[in-house]
Amino acid sequence: MSLSTREHGGKQVRIEDGFWNGYTKLVRETVIPYQWDALNDKIPGAEPSFAIRNFRIASGLEEGEFGGLVFQDSDLAKWLEAVGYSLASHPDAELERIADDVIELIAKAQHENGYLNTYFTIKEPDKAWTNLHEAHELYCAGHMMEAAVAYYEATGKRKLLDVMCKFADHIDSVFGREAGKLRGYDGHQEIELALVKLHRVTGEERYLKLAQFFIDERGQQPNFFVEECKRRGGYNHWAKKELPIPTVEQLSYNQAHKPVREQETAIGHSVRAVYMYTAMADLARLTGDKELLAACRRLWDNTTKKQMYITGGIGSTHHGEAFTFDYDLPNDTVYAETCASIGLIFFARRMLQIEAKSEYADVLERALYNNVIGSMSLDGKRYFYVNPLEVWPKASEKNPGRHHVKAVRQKWFGCSCCPPNVARLLSSLNDYIYTAAAEDNTVYAHLFIGSEAKFDLAAGQVSLKQESRLPWEGYARFELTGVPGGAFSLALRIPSWCRGKAAMMINGSPAEYDAVDGYAVATRAWAQGDVVEWRPELAAELIAARPDIRANAGKAAIQRGPLVYCLEETDNGSPMASLSIVRTAKLDSRFDEGLCGGAVVIEADGCADDRASWPEDASYRPLAEEKAAEPVRLKAVPYYLWGNREEGEMTVWIRTAAQ
């Protein structure tokens, strides 16, 4: 396999896209080096990571105390995974050398029996596997397994893969239903989906069965976490003291309150939930488990149709970084952690591998273009952990209930799971554009991202080149550069944002297609050089929220194609809450070369509540004394760009006015 491509399941994809090349280049040239400095505690004024230092201490190369949080190893693992994906598309001898040195360091920290975790090696060597509820041992192991797979597939080097196979073998010897083994699972799901990846590259069935054990055992009664906590006498890792034994109901935070097949609503810590749903979908696909698939569909529906923000964010409260209940989606105290949207993208991709339904790709696209890339500054050196839909900087600074909502991106975090997660997702974006149903002889295009791709179908190999003008124009062009002898189908997603208005041209002539589960399917015996043009209508529109979403009552959001828009104080003044948009206003779109390297902005008629007539010493007055609102011209920018200019207020949802 050429190192210039990524290959999974008979699919090779290389991105060449006007919009996304900037991000993949940024990750390669800035983000990965910047995060390497952060992992080595070399960013002035940033929270220290301790990650590399911990491994040096655990491997005996330094003396000292463990630094950071109990799951600090995972930051390095995600960085290594991003490096693997980057090397697969852009070989870099120096970066590979750095990664090889890090892998040697990791190998030195591994115990003879395969165990690997710097926290327990350094700080509590006699407490391994005694606090699965809180200590993230299997979570860290899972992230390192994912890194090992990515690095092996990119370079062919087995060092880290062998280290992690040895660790997986150790884990398999510790956990299971056999006598003498722990019938447990991790407090933070991750190992489950990682073991599936390890199974894929090694062919080792034990790894798949171990992933299935962790999924099947979760939430069974008597509850493992309750019994484990009793064995610790209630000692809590985070509080550093004894606390009451958790009830089964409280374990909904870890999605361990009932068996996964019985769960119907997204509940608890949002990242843990979607990582688990991802593994459930993997297992449903690989084992044919219909009951597990039914649970995935239920949980998908609840997550995306009742508990998801318009930006693709999930997790509405900072208390536990968690889901709350259906339609509880506050804009100003929101959490919407970056990692949660990335996990939702993982889940969407796995569901697409099971069944090509456009709703999965619609959500994937929404989270990618808004929450994920919006979490990182344009220079790749600052990040949002929380992704709000409304920001008032003074409230973020002075209101304790909003301290988690930042008005500016941060250099790094004490818990810095999100930045390397962004890096690994963007470095592996090739994997999300297409799927191929080999036996059905169908190639599905889920995302419109410029790329070159090859697919192995039952009919033979298909090669194509996609050119895309998204997100600014609704146009994509597919050229068949290699075709088999027999017929096959090309299925192009009909995006939800085009409202069913899309046209297909084949070799310059209008073409009919079959609409199947949200895809435009064209089947024929294709010839090399055939060109398919796809034109989903892309227009700016006002979006309403259902009345149950109380935070958005009487408000609208602006959306154009895959992008959600927002108002910023720098363009529209303050207070943002005084602004309204005319419900019938024409939304004028224009490309602004001067906005953060160039982007489409949207302008519309609105109005602003009168402020000038208010006396300084009055907070309230009769409504009858209110003067008419003044007309203003509103300017909206893509949500992913907010916070890249001046610090100030921001809002996605805008009050509406009749005229």
Side-chain angles (χ1 to χ4, degrees):
M1 180 184 73
S2 166
L3 290 181
S4 64
T5 62
R6 301 263 346 265
E7 181 174 11
H8 288 312
K11 176 184 70 175
Q12 299 177 29
V13 182
R14 183 168 65 87
I15 290 177
E16 190 61 47
D17 183 84
F19 182 81
W20 287 104
N21 273 12
Y23 280 95
T24 55
K25 181 180 179 182
L26 183 68
V27 170
R28 185 172 68 252
E29 297 182 358
T30 300
V31 175
I32 286 175
Y34 177 84
Q35 293 187 1
W36 174 243
D37 286 344
L39 292 168
N40 284 277
D41 307 323
K42 293 181 179 179
I43 305 296
E47 290 273 359
S49 166
F50 303 106
I52 296 296
R53 182 172 174 271
N54 287 339
F55 272 97
R56 289 185 61 80
I57 295 169
S59 63
L61 298 178
E62 277 187 29
E63 293 186 356
E65 297 295 321
F66 178 88
L69 299 170
V70 70
F71 45 79
Q72 215 69 14
D73 291 3
S74 63
D75 288 354
L76 176 58
K78 282 181 280 189
W79 179 85
L80 263 177
E81 187 181 353
V83 168
Y85 296 140
S86 181
L87 291 174
S89 56
H90 290 84
D92 181 328
E94 177 59 17
L95 180 59
E96 189 169 336
R97 182 196 64 76
I98 292 170
D100 287 344
D101 288 346
V102 171
I103 290 168
E104 288 294 335
L105 183 63
I106 292 168
K108 283 185 173 68
Q110 186 170 37
H111 297 198
E112 280 296 318
N113 66 359
Y115 184 82
L116 179 64
N117 185 288
T118 65
Y119 174 85
F120 285 96
T121 296
I122 299 169
K123 199 172 182 74
E124 296 188 287
D126 59 336
K127 297 290 180 64
W129 310 130
T130 62
N131 190 351
L132 294 170
H133 184 203
E134 300 169 325
H136 291 68
E137 280 168 282
L138 291 170
Y139 168 84
C140 289
H143 275 303
M144 200 64 79
M145 288 175 189
E146 289 197 86
V149 170
Y151 199 73
Y152 168 70
E153 290 185 323
T155 67
K157 294 179 178 178
R158 291 192 58 96
K159 181 77 174 186
L160 187 57
L161 185 66
D162 289 341
V163 166
M164 295 319 297
C165 286
K166 186 176 180 181
F167 194 8
D169 292 342
H170 171 70
I171 293 169
D172 188 48
S173 74
V174 172
F175 292 91
R177 295 193 178 90
E178 298 87 350
K181 290 188 176 182
L182 280 174
R183 290 190 60 170
Y185 38 87
D186 205 69
H188 195 312
Q189 300 90 315
E190 158 63 22
I191 185 74
E192 300 87 349
L193 65 92
L195 283 166
V196 173
K197 287 187 177 183
L198 202 61
H199 157 74
R200 175 171 58 79
V201 298
T202 64
E204 178 54 69
E205 286 296 319
R206 287 185 298 112
Y207 300 155
L208 186 66
K209 291 179 180 178
L210 186 57
Q212 194 163 12
F213 162 77
F214 286 132
I215 287 293
D216 289 345
E217 193 65 25
R218 194 171 205 88
Q220 298 293 340
Q221 303 304 322
N223 190 282
F224 174 78
F225 287 152
V226 172
E227 299 305 311
E228 179 193 61
C229 192
K230 289 177 181 177
R231 290 194 293 272
R232 293 197 312 274
Y235 182 81
N236 181 277
H237 169 85
W238 301 103
K240 305 302 180 188
K241 63 181 181 181
E242 292 182 8
L243 293 179
I245 304 298
T247 64
V248 171
E249 290 73 23
Q250 288 171 326
L251 294 174
S252 62
Y253 173 79
N254 308 89
Q255 297 80 39
H257 56 301
K258 61 173 69 173
V260 299
R261 288 170 176 76
E262 298 175 16
Q263 297 185 26
E264 297 185 351
T265 59
I267 192 169
H269 188 274
S270 57
V271 180
R272 299 172 201 233
V274 286
Y275 279 15
M276 182 180 81
Y277 304 160
T278 298
M280 290 166 60
D282 270 336
L283 290 167
R285 175 175 58 88
L286 293 171
T287 66
D289 190 325
K290 294 181 179 180
E291 192 178 12
L292 200 56
L293 177 56
C296 288
R297 288 172 175 152
R298 285 196 309 272
L299 292 165
W300 172 270
D301 285 346
N302 181 258
T303 300
T304 63
K305 297 173 183 177
K306 297 183 178 181
Q307 298 202 69
M308 185 180 74
Y309 286 91
I310 192 172
T311 54
I314 54 173
S316 57
T317 177
H318 69 284
H319 295 287
E321 304 175 328
F323 295 104
T324 52
F325 56 92
D326 292 354
Y327 308 120
D328 178 40
L329 296 167
N331 297 312
D332 55 348
T333 59
V334 55
Y335 208 71
E337 181 183 343
T338 304
C339 284
S341 286
I342 291 172
L344 183 61
I345 288 172
F346 295 162
F347 185 23
R349 181 189 172 211
R350 296 330 194 271
M351 294 302 290
L352 283 169
Q353 290 175 314
I354 297 173
E355 49 191 12
K357 293 185 176 180
S358 62
E359 65 177 282
Y360 303 131
D362 284 335
V363 169
L364 194 163
E365 181 184 67
R366 182 178 296 277
L368 177 66
Y369 276 90
N370 297 290
N371 228 53
V372 174
I373 61 172
S375 72
M376 182 173 65
S377 64
L378 291 176
D379 66 2
K381 296 181 179 180
R382 291 178 178 269
Y383 303 87
F384 284 133
Y385 193 105
V386 172
N387 295 278
L389 284 80
E390 180 180 324
V391 171
W392 180 10
K394 186 176 289 186
S396 294
E397 178 187 357
K398 297 181 180 296
N399 184 336
R402 298 189 192 177
H403 283 173
H404 63 288
V405 177
K406 303 300 182 186
V408 294
R409 294 172 179 84
Q410 308 295 297
K411 291 182 178 180
W412 203 248
F413 308 93
C415 174
S416 208
C417 51
C418 297
N421 228 353
V422 172
R424 70 174 179 143
L425 176 67
L426 294 182
S427 295
S428 61
L429 189 57
N430 338 39
D431 292 339
Y432 296 82
I433 303 172
Y434 308 98
T435 58
E439 295 306 314
D440 294 334
N441 286 310
T442 304
V443 173
Y444 292 91
H446 306 302
L447 298 177
F448 303 113
I449 295 176
S451 49
E452 295 180 0
K454 293 181 180 180
F455 310 90
D456 292 329
L457 304 180
Q461 189 174 82
V462 174
S463 301
L464 63 79
K465 180 179 181 180
Q466 178 186 170
E467 298 175 10
S468 173
R469 298 176 190 166
L470 258 72
W472 312 125
E473 297 181 46
Y475 178 85
R477 179 183 185 274
F478 297 82
E479 180 182 353
L480 279 302
T481 55
V483 297
F488 69 93
S489 300
L490 184 63
L492 310 180
R493 179 170 62 95
I494 306 171
S496 60
W497 43 260
C498 78
R499 311 303 169 202
K501 299 176 181 178
M504 180 182 288
M505 306 274 286
I506 298 180
N507 297 329
S509 299
E512 298 294 322
Y513 57 80
D514 296 321
V516 181
D517 290 329
Y519 286 82
V521 182
T523 304
R524 60 194 287 173
W526 300 88
Q528 185 173 342
D530 281 349
V531 172
V532 179
E533 294 175 278
W534 181 234
R535 298 177 183 272
E537 184 174 295
L538 193 157
E541 59 182 344
L542 290 178
I543 303 295
R546 66 179 294 142
D548 306 78
I549 306 176
R550 301 183 182 208
N552 299 332
K555 297 181 179 181
I558 300 172
Q559 181 174 296
R560 185 178 186 274
L563 299 179
V564 173
Y565 277 68
C566 67
L567 304 184
E568 285 194 273
E569 181 181 340
T570 187
D571 300 311
N572 301 280
S574 175
M576 303 291 289
S578 70
L579 301 176
S580 300
I581 189 168
V582 175
R583 294 174 65 95
T584 57
K586 181 176 181 291
L587 302 179
D588 294 320
S589 302
R590 63 178 176 84
F591 196 83
D592 185 346
E593 295 280 0
L595 177 65
C596 301
V600 169
V601 299
I602 297 172
E603 295 179 343
D605 289 337
C607 52
D609 294 345
D610 169 61
R611 291 186 64 200
S613 67
W614 276 83
E616 287 290 330
D617 59 351
S619 292
Y620 308 98
R621 70 181 182 187
L623 182 62
E625 296 180 15
E626 275 292 272
K627 293 187 176 182
E630 300 177 357
V632 296
R633 190 70 173 165
L634 301 176
K635 179 181 178 180
V637 301
Y639 173 81
Y640 80 88
L641 289 176
W642 89 269
N644 277 287
R645 295 177 291 168
E646 298 176 6
E647 180 179 345
E649 294 184 47
M650 181 277 291
T651 189
V652 168
W653 290 95
I654 315 158
R655 290 191 308 167
T656 59
Q659 59 181 13

